[in-house]
Amino acid sequence: MISAESARLGDGFSARRIVPERFGGAADPIMGFDHYRMDAVTFAPHPHAGFSAVSYLFEDSPGGLRNRDSLGHDFVIEPGGIVWTQAGSGVIHDELPAETGRQVHGLQIFVNLGAANKQSAPRVLRLAAHQVPAWNSPRGSRLRVVVGQHAGIASALTPTEPASLFDLGLVAGDEVVLPLAAGWNMLVYVESGAAQVRADGGEASLTTGHAVAATAHDKQADVRIASEDGARVVVLAGRALREPVFQHGPFIMNDELGIHAAIARYRRGAMGVLEPLDQG
């Protein structure tokens, strides 16, 4: 079990940060996880390459998130929506509150790409809140299938490499069982409340801001998530890549040569151009 660390950038961005590498590979392919609140412009336009940068807004977010990139996109993700920027060979993007004074409440997640897709053309995938399907348990818990599928309900957002992202609202006294495919890892994070997680003979009791990872080795496993008093839980899952990881700032590659090549692409403009917004 891992507790979130505090992270702050200036006066406009604060986060509970889970460091996936502390799970010793059990959270692979997840490389970064921030549960954040943003009140002001925090990040200048910046590049990414070799992984997917994911922004998901909770339904209770007071405001939306504006997303711009060097592919020509400029749109707003409203509460309950998601943007999945599969950076591949490289893209420049920028995210900021859509309206001054309206806080953004959501998740910023980095999901690694396998070696075969690190040089793929960048793609931007997104869903509005009304496009995210949901499954309801017999007792009334609600699971938003943001990415992936559960109980025959599938999201329309399909990254090149399969993954799952669920936003689970557990009612008091309920338990939800999530199958985990062989060779996959799962990260379970409690956004609020308290939950119990059981998998493969192990059990963890989590409170707000805590996370645990589960692995299905050579056969499918069932991950059971329950709550006595109710909880909101975020679930992330993906196939374990088990590849070398070299990270340098906004670039995640398999070796040092890959990092140098990404830096070179960025410097010569191959990732495109995105001018800073005029905040005046």
Side-chain angles (χ1 to χ4, degrees):
M1 181 175 66
I2 300 294
S3 60
E5 303 174 359
S6 295
R8 181 172 289 277
L9 292 173
D11 296 327
F13 182 94
S14 62
R16 297 183 197 145
R17 175 167 293 168
I18 297 294
V19 181
E21 65 184 20
R22 293 176 60 190
F23 288 110
D28 175 18
I30 303 161
M31 299 296 297
F33 183 100
D34 278 358
H35 170 202
Y36 74 90
R37 295 180 184 272
M38 186 192 306
D39 299 295
V41 176
T42 303
F43 307 101
H46 54 280
H48 288 308
F51 67 100
S52 295
V54 181
S55 291
Y56 170 66
L57 270 60
F58 289 113
E59 292 176 288
D60 66 2
S61 178
L65 183 72
R66 182 178 177 185
N67 184 288
R68 306 185 308 136
D69 63 51
S70 56
L71 301 176
H73 300 107
D74 188 346
F75 54 83
V76 173
I77 292 294
E78 300 291 354
I82 180 175
V83 54
W84 186 294
T85 301
Q86 187 171 296
S89 61
V91 67
I92 301 172
H93 84 160
D94 184 16
E95 293 181 312
L96 63 153
E99 297 179 59
T100 302
R102 293 185 68 85
Q103 185 183 78
V104 181
H105 177 211
L107 300 173
Q108 184 179 75
I109 305 161
F110 292 169
V111 181
N112 200 8
L113 283 169
N117 292 308
K118 286 190 180 293
Q119 300 303 319
S120 60
R123 301 170 61 205
V124 175
L125 313 171
R126 57 179 165 139
L127 293 178
H130 71 273
Q131 296 173 310
V132 176
W135 169 86
N136 296 284
S137 78
R139 291 192 177 185
S141 294
R142 176 170 171 261
L143 184 143
R144 303 190 80 225
V145 185
V146 186
V147 182
Q149 59 182 343
H150 177 71
I153 297 174
S155 169
L157 195 156
T158 55
T160 298
E161 298 180 0
S164 297
L165 170 56
F166 303 146
D167 182 352
L168 171 61
L170 276 170
V171 299
D174 201 4
E175 178 182 76
V176 170
V177 180
L178 301 177
L180 182 61
W184 280 46
N185 290 328
M186 178 181 286
L187 177 71
V188 180
Y189 169 78
V190 176
E191 189 274 337
S192 59
Q196 297 75 48
V197 181
R198 291 187 293 139
D200 199 25
E203 183 172 350
S205 294
L206 307 180
T207 54
T208 300
H210 287 75
V212 68
T215 298
H217 295 285
D218 55 355
K219 62 179 181 180
Q220 177 179 298
D222 285 338
V223 179
R224 299 176 177 272
I225 307 174
S227 179
E228 295 180 1
D229 301 312
R232 174 188 271 170
V233 178
V234 174
V235 178
L236 288 160
R239 181 180 60 84
L241 297 175
R242 299 188 180 92
E243 295 178 354
V245 173
F246 280 72
Q247 182 168 2
H248 177 79
F251 307 132
I252 302 176
M253 296 294 166
N254 294 113
D255 52 35
E256 194 170 353
L257 289 176
I259 294 293
H260 291 321
I263 294 172
R265 287 196 301 277
Y266 172 61
R267 288 177 173 170
R268 70 172 181 264
M271 296 183 187
V273 176
L274 186 64
E275 296 295 336
L277 288 171
D278 183 1
Q279 298 299 319

